[in-house]
Amino acid sequence: MKCDVSVIIPNFNGENFIANCLDSMMVQSFSTFGHMEIIVVDDCSSDGSVDIIKNYENVMLLENPVNSGFDKSVNQGILASRGKYCLLLNNDVVADPDFVKYLYLHIDDNPRTFSVSSKMIRFYERDKLDDTGDFYNILGWGYKRGDGQSVNAHNKPTAIFSSCAGAGIYRRSILNEIGLFDEAFFAYMEDVDIGYRALINGYKNRYEPKAICYHIGSATTAEGQKYSPFKVQISARNNIYVAYKNMPFVQLLVNSPFLLLGFIVKYITFAKRGFGQDYRAGIKEGLKKHRIMTKVPFQFRNLKHYFFIEVQLIVNVFRQVENKIGK
């Protein structure tokens, strides 16, 4: 049977969230005009979440013997799926009934669109946004546009740097071209990396405000808190990985003073919050192990795309300032 959208949900100890997530997928309006499959990839959960998942007859369950991380689980789901588009969904997300439909309509409208990000709203603060597309800047910072702003903001479809893999849809044909999620990241920043790769190859990442969902946030890796030692360390390491992997040597050399400044500012910020040691450990690991990353090969045909990205990296610094002022 033809499959239009494959919904892929990685799960690790999601007993408190997975039923609400799956229930929201069971009532999607998309099922009235397209075929959708649902795949849950469990990373060796030790709670009762697997038993809950098994109660859903129309859900394919893949069980891993160990916790291999978000990226490997997502890739397993993509490889096991059949859809023209792969919709990735965190287990702590609850979606509106038209969520899948609007993501599908947006990405299906233009063959150059690689991904579309949704309008993510804070689950426990329904008057505030969680994410309306991810951005990355010349300081080496990735950030969520709209985080903490009014739910009434960001109501127009627009171009973004990358889609949040916690609730975004991706075109399979382009995944086949540029590669799947890089499993060296384990978790965090892998969606910025794959969106970056798409931009290098001239594709687009977009935001669709009509695709609404509600996100608890860091439910698995930080117990719902914004920061944790694990999250801070892994994110710091992965910021090194993103820059090294995607920037050609010349661009990396030009941007290195700004990247250094960005890492220093971040270290000071996290040190004040009690996570300085964790951030420093992440940067150290990133510098030590960055060569395990396979750099995106430079091709002259993509030169204009690199110039476009460089402009975006600069502009995104000012966008981040505007983003903070808008809270």
Side-chain angles (χ1 to χ4, degrees):
M1 179 187 294
K2 175 187 174 183
C3 182
D4 300 293
V5 176
S6 297
V7 179
I8 299 161
I9 306 171
N11 178 70
F12 175 68
N13 288 344
E15 182 177 10
N16 295 328
F17 323 108
I18 191 65
N20 288 336
C21 179
L22 290 174
D23 286 345
S24 70
M25 288 297 102
M26 296 297 136
V27 296
Q28 288 296 307
S29 62
F30 178 78
S31 61
T32 62
F33 68 93
H35 180 68
M36 180 178 77
E37 66 176 358
I38 302 172
I39 300 173
V40 177
V41 185
D42 184 78
D43 262 340
C44 196
S45 292
S46 58
D47 63 0
S49 54
V50 170
D51 292 332
I52 294 173
I53 296 164
K54 289 179 178 178
N55 290 327
Y56 293 83
E57 295 181 0
N58 296 325
V59 173
M60 179 192 301
L61 173 62
L62 305 178
E63 296 184 68
N64 289 329
V66 296
N67 182 1
S68 302
F70 176 89
D71 304 324
K72 187 168 184 176
S73 294
V74 163
N75 287 344
Q76 282 181 276
I78 292 172
L79 293 172
S81 66
R82 301 174 293 116
K84 181 179 180 181
Y85 304 110
C86 298
L87 197 165
L88 309 186
L89 197 66
N90 282 0
N91 64 355
D92 60 346
V93 167
V94 175
D96 273 3
D98 292 328
F99 174 77
V100 176
K101 179 182 76 173
Y102 284 122
L103 286 178
Y104 172 81
L105 291 175
H106 195 140
I107 197 170
D108 199 55
D109 184 58
N110 187 335
R112 301 298 296 177
T113 299
F114 168 58
S115 71
V116 179
S117 202
S118 62
K119 186 172 188 175
M120 302 176 73
I121 298 170
R122 293 183 181 181
F123 187 88
Y124 294 117
E125 298 175 279
R126 299 289 175 102
D127 61 333
K128 294 182 180 179
L129 293 171
D130 179 68
D131 194 320
T132 62
D134 292 343
F135 286 82
Y136 181 71
N137 65 36
I138 199 171
L139 298 173
W141 300 349
Y143 63 95
K144 303 189 294 183
R145 187 185 68 156
D147 186 22
Q149 294 182 12
S150 167
V151 72
N152 297 316
H154 302 294
N155 287 322
K156 294 181 179 180
T158 187
I160 55 176
F161 193 89
S162 61
S163 293
C164 174
I169 194 168
Y170 296 81
R171 186 179 300 268
R172 182 185 296 277
S173 62
I174 300 179
L175 285 169
N176 292 338
E177 177 185 343
I178 69 173
L180 302 182
F181 288 84
D182 192 327
E183 295 175 12
F185 283 84
F186 189 84
Y188 300 117
M189 297 296 290
E190 72 289 314
D191 43 10
V192 173
D193 167 65
I194 204 167
Y196 202 141
R197 279 185 272 149
L199 293 176
I200 290 172
N201 286 276
Y203 296 111
K204 302 176 181 179
N205 299 301
R206 300 280 300 173
Y207 163 67
E208 176 49 66
K210 292 181 180 178
I212 297 172
C213 65
Y214 306 91
H215 184 216
I216 293 177
S218 301
T220 296
T221 58
E223 297 181 348
Q225 301 301 310
K226 187 172 183 179
Y227 303 113
S228 72
F230 172 82
K231 183 175 180 180
V232 169
Q233 181 172 339
I234 293 295
S235 297
R237 181 199 68 182
N238 290 351
N239 271 297
I240 297 286
Y241 286 174
V242 168
Y244 173 76
K245 178 179 177 179
N246 292 285
M247 294 182 188
F249 176 75
V250 173
Q251 186 182 26
L252 196 59
L253 187 64
V254 169
N255 291 343
S256 58
F258 303 100
L259 292 169
L260 178 60
L261 174 62
F263 295 143
I264 291 173
V265 171
K266 279 285 188 180
Y267 170 70
I268 294 172
T269 300
F270 280 117
K272 291 180 179 179
R273 294 171 175 170
F275 295 102
Q277 183 176 348
D278 305 298
Y279 186 82
R280 188 170 62 250
I283 292 294
K284 184 178 179 179
E285 183 181 358
L287 292 172
K288 182 179 180 181
K289 297 183 177 180
H290 69 277
R291 293 191 181 277
I292 69 172
M293 308 300 292
T294 302
K295 284 183 71 67
V296 177
F298 174 79
Q299 295 177 302
F300 276 104
R301 65 181 177 87
N302 291 329
L303 189 59
K304 63 180 180 180
H305 303 147
Y306 282 110
F307 279 114
F308 170 76
I309 291 170
E310 184 68 11
V311 171
Q312 290 296 303
L313 295 178
I314 297 170
V315 170
N316 288 345
V317 175
F318 300 99
R319 284 176 172 161
Q320 186 169 10
V321 173
E322 182 182 12
N323 193 61
K324 287 185 175 295
I325 293 175
K327 289 186 179 181

